[in-house]
């Protein structure tokens, strides 16, 4: 490695690229992608898809190789009308095998509904900031955490896995910066409840690579038994840059949404998630396995576009893979 540096590093620019290459070498060989389009992708959309069309989209993603979904959320139908059919959607997809379906629940009542529907895991969610938690679930952070203990007791012996999700981990649209200690306290609480996986949510796209590094380092210190999942939005155009930082730190779990759909109805400027097809393309070009077929993922994204009736923000489903070639004879030749 010293010889490589001696031969190549002749400027600050080449040193920066070498650093990126070295980080890529430390990246995981396989990454676990959770598709959140049916839940996070649709919850803020004006178009309310019928259950059958949601199921059609999920089946297209399963055909592409997706094996884990955050399928829906058992919240008040009045608060989030797009997810009012949570139980019906689970029932519609019950014939699918070897796929893990999780659902967000805010409290014991939501957990009871999820258990009755037959979900594989429940994801308890809370915001790292008081203001957003009040808007999102009409409760303080302390009240949310206290209610989670009831849910954990209810799940004992059920065979249903408990997971955690923390919104506004990288900043709050109402309060600004969020202390890393606040994220750590909640993650540790989830760990105490028995959660193996905790998602760090970038609700309004405020994450940056330095913040990602700080949060992951702190989480590993205060809750070492928790495997972090990174959930980025592309609000400011650096969602995949944040993924690169996570990969350099060895994080191997990411959440994304087909077509780049997404947003929170209780946060301003909450635009779409990083797009699943863009994420799968990036990982594939880095030689990282996902088990997902990019061409079929693009087909699923095109289905999502038709169902929503508008162009979606993802890029790869428009441009195709890097080596998607065009017919040279069909393109005009410059003259002059």
């Amino acid at each position: 490695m010293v010889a490589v540096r001696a031969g190549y590093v002749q400027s600050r620019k080449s040193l920066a690229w070498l650093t990126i290459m070295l980080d890529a070498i430390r990246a995981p060989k396989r990454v676990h992608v959770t598709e959140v389009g049916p839940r996070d992708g649709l919850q803020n959309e004006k178009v309310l898809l019928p259950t059958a069309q949601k199921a059609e989209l999920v089946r297209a993603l399963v055909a592409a190789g997706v094996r884990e979904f955050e399928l829906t959320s058992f919240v008040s139908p009045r608060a989030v009308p797009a997810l009012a059919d949570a139980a019906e959607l689970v029932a519609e997809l019950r014939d699918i095998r070897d796929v893990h379906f999780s659902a967000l629940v805010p409290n014991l009542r939501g957990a009871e509904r999820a258990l009755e529907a037959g979900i594989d895991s429940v994801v308890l969610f809370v915001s790292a900031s008081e203001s957003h938690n009040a808007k999102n679930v009409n409760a303080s952070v302390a009240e949310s955490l206290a209610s989670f203990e009831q849910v954990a007791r209810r799940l004992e012996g059920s065979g249903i896995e408990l997971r955690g999700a923390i919104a506004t981990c990288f900043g709050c649209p109402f309060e600004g910066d969020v202390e890393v200690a606040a994220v750590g306290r909640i993650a540790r609480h989830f760990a105490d409840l028995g959660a193996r996986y905790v998602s760090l949510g970038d609700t309004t796209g405020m994450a940056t690579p330095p913040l990602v590094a700080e949060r992951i380092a702190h989480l590993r210190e205060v809750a070492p038994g928790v495997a972090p999942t990174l959930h980025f939005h592309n609000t400011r155009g650096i969602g995949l840059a944040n993924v690169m930082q996570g990969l350099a730190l060895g994080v191997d779990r990411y959440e994304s949404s087909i077509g780049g759909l997404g947003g929170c109805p209780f946060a301003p400027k909450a635009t779409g998630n990083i797009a699943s097809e863009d994420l799968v393309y990036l990982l594939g070009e880095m030689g990282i396995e996902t088990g997902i077929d990019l061409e079929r993922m693009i087909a699923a994204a095109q289905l999502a576009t038709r169902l929503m009736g508008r162009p979606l923000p993802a890029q790869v489903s428009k441009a195709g893979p890097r080596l998607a070639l065009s017919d040279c004879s069909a393109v005009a030749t410059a003259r002059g």
Side-chain angles (χ1 to χ4, degrees), residues 106-109 111-112 115 124 143-156 162 189 193:
N107 48 38
L108 182 59
R109 181 170 57 183
E112 293 281 5
L115 282 169
L124 299 171
E143 288 169 339
S144 287
L145 294 179
S147 73
F148 294 166
E149 296 177 15
Q150 297 176 310
V151 176
R153 287 195 296 270
R154 176 65 181 85
L155 292 179
E156 288 179 0
L162 183 152
H189 187 87
L193 294 177

Side-chain angles (χ1 to χ4, degrees), residues 6 24 40 53 66 84 101 106 114 121 152 199 232 247 282 284 310 314 331:
D40 198 358
Q53 290 185 346
V66 178
F101 291 127
S121 64
S199 173
F232 296 122
L247 292 171
L282 171 68
R310 65 177 178 85
V331 178

Side-chain angles (χ1 to χ4, degrees), residues 16 19 35 38 64 66 94-95 97 110 122 127 133 162 174 177 199 201-202 210 217 267 272 287 318 320:
T19 301
E35 174 61 50
V66 178
R94 195 161 284 152
D95 62 298
R97 297 289 179 263
V122 299
S127 302
N133 206 62
L162 183 152
F174 309 114
D177 282 332
S199 173
D202 179 26
K318 300 183 183 76

Side-chain angles (χ1 to χ4, degrees), residues 225-246:
V226 163
T229 301
L230 290 173
H231 176 119
F232 296 122
H233 287 240
N234 203 38
T235 311
R236 291 169 176 84
I238 61 169
L240 292 183
N242 292 324
V243 169
M244 290 292 291
Q245 178 65 83

Side-chain angles (χ1 to χ4, degrees), residues 1-26:
M1 194 61 68
V2 173
V4 172
R5 286 185 180 275
Y8 267 164
V9 180
Q10 299 176 357
S11 67
R12 289 187 179 183
K13 184 176 180 180
S14 61
L15 177 60
W17 279 108
L18 183 57
T19 301
I20 291 172
M21 287 179 7
L22 294 175
D23 283 344
I25 291 170
R26 289 195 289 269

Side-chain angles (χ1 to χ4, degrees), residues 8-264:
Y8 267 164
V9 180
Q10 299 176 357
S11 67
R12 289 187 179 183
K13 184 176 180 180
S14 61
L15 177 60
W17 279 108
L18 183 57
T19 301
I20 291 172
M21 287 179 7
L22 294 175
D23 283 344
I25 291 170
R26 289 195 289 269
K29 300 300 182 186
R30 185 176 182 88
V31 156
H32 186 98
V33 176
T34 297
E35 174 61 50
V36 302
R39 196 280 303 174
D40 198 358
L42 298 179
Q43 70 175 4
N44 202 35
E45 287 291 323
K46 294 179 181 178
V47 175
L48 301 184
L49 292 186
T51 305
Q53 290 185 346
K54 292 180 184 179
E56 180 186 6
L57 181 58
V58 170
R59 291 182 188 278
L61 289 160
V62 170
V66 178
R67 289 296 174 264
E68 180 152 337
F69 292 81
E70 190 178 270
L71 187 64
T72 188
S73 182
F74 287 88
V75 294
S76 166
R78 291 189 303 276
V80 189
L83 305 181
D85 63 344
E88 291 81 1
L89 181 59
V90 176
E92 184 76 19
L93 298 168
R94 195 161 284 152
D95 62 298
I96 297 177
R97 297 289 179 263
D98 301 320
V99 173
H100 187 101
F101 291 127
S102 64
L104 258 65
V105 302
N107 48 38
L108 182 59
R109 181 170 57 183
E112 293 281 5
R113 292 174 58 205
L115 282 169
E116 184 177 348
I119 209 74
D120 295 315
S121 64
V122 299
V123 183
L124 299 171
F125 65 96
V126 62
S127 302
S129 61
E130 291 288 350
S131 299
H132 186 262
N133 206 62
K135 289 290 185 183
N136 204 34
V137 296
N138 197 23
S140 69
V141 172
E143 288 169 339
S144 287
L145 294 179
S147 73
F148 294 166
E149 296 177 15
Q150 297 176 310
V151 176
R153 287 195 296 270
R154 176 65 181 85
L155 292 179
E156 288 179 0
S158 69
I160 306 300
E161 184 182 8
L162 183 152
R163 299 181 179 183
I166 311 172
T168 63
C169 279
F170 303 94
C172 172
F174 309 114
E175 299 177 18
D177 282 332
V178 170
E179 292 292 331
V180 66
V183 178
R185 281 193 298 271
I186 297 172
R188 191 165 58 245
H189 187 87
F190 279 132
D192 291 342
L193 294 177
R196 285 190 304 157
Y197 302 116
V198 173
S199 173
L200 304 186
D202 179 26
T203 309
T204 55
M206 297 173 75
T208 63
L211 288 175
V212 173
E214 178 192 47
R215 264 62 177 162
I216 292 299
H218 185 69
L219 193 69
R220 287 172 172 167
E221 179 182 349
V222 302
V226 163
T229 301
L230 290 173
H231 176 119
F232 296 122
H233 287 240
N234 203 38
T235 311
R236 291 169 176 84
I238 61 169
L240 292 183
N242 292 324
V243 169
M244 290 292 291
Q245 178 65 83
L247 292 171
L249 296 168
V251 177
D252 63 356
R253 299 182 64 85
Y254 296 86
E255 295 177 347
S256 58
S257 177
I258 191 67
L261 284 164
C264 176

Side-chain angles (χ1 to χ4, degrees), residues 277-278 281-282 285 294-295 298-299 302 314-326:
E277 60 269 38
D278 294 356
Y281 170 74
L282 171 68
E285 289 295 314
L294 180 60
E295 293 285 0
I298 290 172
Q302 292 168 345
Q315 298 298 315
V316 172
S317 48
K318 300 183 183 76
R322 181 173 62 89
L323 295 179
L325 304 181
S326 300

